[in-house]
């Protein structure tokens, strides 16, 4: 009997370890092989989990192009409960089903967050340019009424991206980021750069990518939208400070044809007294298309480029210049890059060496896109940029075609070899590599001037490169304007806060009486659209007027005193008055992972009415913006172009209407005010309770703006450019009705000394009960800082029993950098 017991005891000792080996502990978590698939769960932090899957028997290693985070040492607990493996941190529980490989995520209190669809992973054999690999897909199951946001810059006009099928391949006007976040406070980044399909329907939500040796995604929990944004930036990179001058008004067009014309624009704005911080030079300053992107002034109309740059600077303005991802065959760059095999062979813009339209294909341009994935190619790119343009003290880079332009698409184009494999494998990350190459090189070359890049495309992680992405060559139409608001909001919800659009839309030929005669600026149909777009642009991270066919400078629209001119000037001056608020918000974006353009669900997630509002948002923490996005004075004109390929000058005479309009009658539009707070009309100071729709009277010069009760907003001086005056005599507006705070931020405006702590902050705190504003001791210092200043404190209050609802109280104080309390 004793022998039998010993035998069974030994037998149990043999088999017990077999059961324990259903999974393997790893440095960051655990992994297991289930149904011929290896699944590994890695905790990068208590709120960030990486999930890897690959066919058993293979190996899967990858150096991410987007992710730069080094995993933190995270205490985790691993438990096996029947057929489930629970891997837990103090913030998250990731569960692996040991029977079918399903991964689920929940909070430690049991709150469900996201589930993979059972057996929802797939690996389909695929040969990528001769290399055996897989097409990979992963499905998830969302709650039926769960809004999700993100996916990049989308021109579909939607805020929530439920019930969408989107083919994600970078193009001119759609910039894709394989990331979404949920109203439930989590986000998911699908780390794959090949052509990808996002699909959401009643059965599942999935990502499917053409090329992948394995499945690789990151799940992050933030608790709310700001927390998710912080998680994405923690994973893929933080946002640097932009120069103060980038937040002023920018004038551009396609294109200034001489240095005399370009400098003349700045001079004219100065003569008119209309604020301006910069002008942008578009393409062909290099000459003909065979010299495409030579990064040098070879066009005889730019015969003295250093004088042009100096003239702009002497007028207290800045200059940004166009550079591209491709080179003409007569350029030095082309030959240097070709010598290391760093040029692609697919068709790109411009197709013809002739500048006529349509392109004369009897004379192909020979322009080729460069391999931005190649580190040596990025070195070459910067070497020429540095010698030809940066050395001339040009202030920033307009990186066009960073998606890049890919015309006459052929399936074989995706087999093009890059430094990192096939173009197919890394397609969507091209803008990240192109922009990153310039940003990293400039930062290494100089800490005295902050990197500023205006780019047409983006991918996850691009926020770390000092880049502001614009929404491409969109059409000049009301529909296009409407689409820009959710496009900017969804892009911001991917963790990339700097976004803008061509004010007025790019293609505007339909508003001219005859082709390209510039008469559209006098056409009321375009005038109304342009003014409304400009007012929207005043509340985006970059206010930049640009387009073709119709000139956009303020003096093209009339003279001072006329309604359209006055409306344009009013919008620009409003932008400048808010610069202290905007620059302080920029500091919150950099230091606190905040966001400029805030979808209403970010701050009012408990109000279900705002979960899919696509035509309003908060700009910074306090100002609700409801742009006028429908024509009120004129009929809407429909302008159709091929936005994906861009540069389609096809003119439609049927859409050219003749309208006479004086723009003098007041109009009205409806605005929803989120629940839970009171709101002040920015223009009249009338207070409204939240949770209701109000009818707001508008004129051509005003759009609906509302300020949240408890807000503190600094109003800056009347200036002609951003840094013209120190922020003395600021008006500090207190919107009573709730406690509030605001931190005024100042630094040297255009270097990286702020990273060394060379900056100053002043904290303002409003106690609504005691009606007291406390201004704290100034913290920090920087050269040129004001040691003392005056503040005009304006308390905005409301009495709803009066018709206007307006009462104000103000006091003037001198602030010496020491704490002071102002009681009303």
């Amino acid at each position: 009997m004793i022998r039998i017991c010993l035998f069974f005891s030994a037998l149990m000792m043999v088999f017990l370890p077999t059961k324990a080996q259903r999974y393997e502990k790893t440095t960051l978590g655990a992994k297991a092989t289930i149904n011929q698939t290896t699944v590994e769960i890695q905790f990068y932090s208590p709120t960030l989990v990486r999930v890897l899957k690959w066919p058993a028997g293979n190996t899967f290693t990858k150096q991410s192009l987007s992710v730069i985070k080094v995993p933190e040492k995270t205490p985790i607990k691993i438990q096996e409960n029947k057929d489930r493996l629970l891997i837990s941190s103090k913030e998250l529980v990731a569960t692996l089903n040991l029977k079918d490989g399903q991964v689920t995520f929940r909070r430690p209190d049991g709150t469900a967050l996201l589930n993979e669809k059972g057996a929802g992973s797939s690996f389909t054999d695929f040969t990528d340019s001769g290399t055996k690999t897989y097409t990979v897909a992963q499905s998830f199951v969302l709650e039926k009424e769960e809004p999700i946001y993100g996916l990049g810059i989308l021109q579909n006009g939607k805020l929530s991206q439920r019930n969408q099928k989107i083919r994600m391949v970078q193009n001119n006007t759609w910039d894709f980021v394989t990331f979404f976040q949920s109203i439930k406070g989590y986000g998911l980044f699908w780390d794959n750069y090949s052509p990808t399909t996002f699909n959401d329907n009643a059965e599942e939500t999935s990502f499917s990518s053409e090329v992948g040796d394995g499945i690789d995604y990151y799940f992050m929990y933030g608790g709310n939208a700001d927390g998710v944004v912080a998680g994405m930036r923690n994973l893929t990179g933080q946002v640097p400070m932009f120069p103060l001058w980038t937040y002023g008004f920018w004038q551009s067009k396609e294109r200034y044809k001489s240095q005399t014309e370009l400098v003349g624009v700045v001079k004219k704005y100065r003569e008119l007294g209309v604020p301006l911080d910069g002008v942008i030079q578009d393409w062909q300053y290099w000459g003909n298309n065979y010299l495409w992107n030579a990064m040098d002034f070879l066009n005889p109309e730019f015969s003295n480029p250093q004088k042009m740059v100096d003239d702009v600077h002497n007028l207290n303005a800045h200059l940004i210049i166009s550079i591209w991802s491709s080179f003409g065959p007569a350029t030095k760059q082309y030959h240097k890059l070709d010598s290391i095999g760093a040029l692609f062979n697919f068709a790109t813009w411009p197709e013809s060496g002739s500048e006529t339209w349509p392109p004369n294909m009897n004379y192909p341009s020979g322009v080729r896109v460069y391999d931005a994935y190649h580190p040596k190619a990025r070195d070459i790119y910067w070497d020429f940029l540095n010698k030809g343009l940066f050395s001339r003290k040009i202030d920033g880079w307009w990186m066009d075609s960073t998606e890049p332009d890919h015309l006459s698409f052929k399936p074989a184009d995706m087999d093009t070899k890059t430094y990192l494999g096939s173009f197919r494998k890394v397609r969507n990350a091209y803008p990240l590599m192109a922009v990153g190459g310039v940003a990293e090189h400039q930062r290494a070359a100089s800490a005295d001037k902050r990197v500023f890049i205006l780019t047409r495309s983006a991918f996850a992680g691009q926020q770390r490169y000092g880049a502001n992405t614009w929404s491409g060559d969109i059409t000049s139409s009301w529909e296009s304007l409407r689409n820009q608001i959710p496009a900017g909001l969804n892009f911001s919800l991917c963790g990339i806060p700097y976004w803008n659009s061509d004010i007025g839309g790019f293609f505007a030929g339909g508003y001219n009486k005859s082709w390209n005669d510039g008469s559209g600026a006098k056409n009321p149909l375009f005038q109304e659209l342009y003014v409304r777009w400009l007012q929207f642009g005043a509340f985006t991270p970059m206010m930049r007027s640009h387009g073709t066919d119709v000139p956009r400078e303020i003096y093209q629209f009339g003279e001072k005193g006329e309604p359209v001119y006055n409306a344009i000037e009013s919008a620009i001056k409003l932008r400048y008055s808010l610069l202290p608020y905007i620059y302080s918000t920029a500091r919150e974006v950099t230091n606190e992972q905040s966001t400029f353009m805030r979808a209403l669900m970010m701050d009012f997630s408990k109000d279900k009415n705002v979960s899919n509002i696509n035509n309003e948002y908060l700009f910074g923490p306090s100002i609700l913006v409801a742009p006028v996005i429908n024509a009120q004075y004129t009929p809407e004109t429909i302008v159709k172009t091929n936005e994906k390929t861009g540069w389609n000058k096809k003119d439609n005479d049927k859409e050219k209407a003749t309208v006479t309009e004086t723009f003098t009658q007041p109009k009205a539009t409806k605005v929803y005010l989120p629940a839970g707070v009171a709101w002040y009309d920015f223009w009249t100071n009338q207070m409204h309770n939240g949770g209701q729709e109000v009818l707001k009277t508008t004129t051509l010069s005003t759009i609906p703006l509302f300020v949240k009760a408890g807000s503190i907003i600094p109003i800056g001086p009347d200036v002609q450019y951003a840094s013209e005056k120190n922020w003395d005599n600021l008006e500090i507006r207190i919107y009573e009705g709730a406690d509030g705070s605001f931190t005024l931020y100042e630094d040297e405006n255009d270097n990286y000394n702020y990273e060394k702590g060379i900056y100053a902050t002043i904290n303002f705190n409003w106690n609504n009960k005691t009606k007291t504003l406390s201004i704290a001791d100034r913290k920090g210092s920087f050269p040129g800082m004001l040691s003392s200043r005056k503040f005009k404190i304006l308390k905005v209050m409301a009495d709803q029993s009066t018709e206007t609802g307006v009462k104000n109280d103000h006091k003037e104080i001198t602030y010496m950098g020491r704490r002071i309390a102002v009681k009303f």
Side-chain angles (χ1 to χ4, degrees), residues 514-580:
S514 59
W515 175 248
N516 212 25
D517 66 355
S519 61
K522 302 296 191 294
N523 184 341
L525 282 77
F526 185 76
Q527 289 177 332
E528 184 182 7
L529 174 66
Y530 181 75
V531 166
R532 294 311 191 193
W533 208 316
L534 191 78
Q535 291 165 343
F536 163 56
F539 293 92
T540 63
M542 185 179 191
M543 187 183 186
R544 180 186 60 90
S545 170
H546 178 71
T548 189
D549 310 321
V550 176
R552 311 297 167 91
E553 298 81 14
I554 186 172
Y555 46 84
Q556 306 285 355
F557 292 87
E559 297 180 353
K560 190 174 183 65
E562 297 175 354
V564 176
Y565 183 104
N566 287 355
I568 295 171
E569 183 181 39
S570 175
I572 295 171
K573 288 191 171 184
L574 175 60
R575 171 75 171 200
Y576 277 83
S577 73
L578 292 171
L579 282 181

Side-chain angles (χ1 to χ4, degrees), residues 654-707:
K654 294 181 181 178
E655 299 297 342
K656 293 176 181 176
T658 301
V659 175
T660 301
E661 174 56 54
T662 61
F663 297 113
T664 56
Q665 294 299 313
K667 302 291 182 179
T669 188
K670 293 179 180 179
V671 180
Y672 179 77
L673 302 176
V677 296
W679 296 92
Y680 287 82
D681 187 311
F682 179 85
W683 305 105
T684 68
N685 292 338
Q686 184 176 4
M687 190 183 76
H688 303 270
N689 291 323
Q692 63 171 324
E693 189 175 72
V694 298
L695 189 65
K696 169 59 183 172
T697 299
T698 62
T699 66
L700 187 67
S701 292
T702 61
I703 65 167
L705 299 173
F706 292 86
V707 181

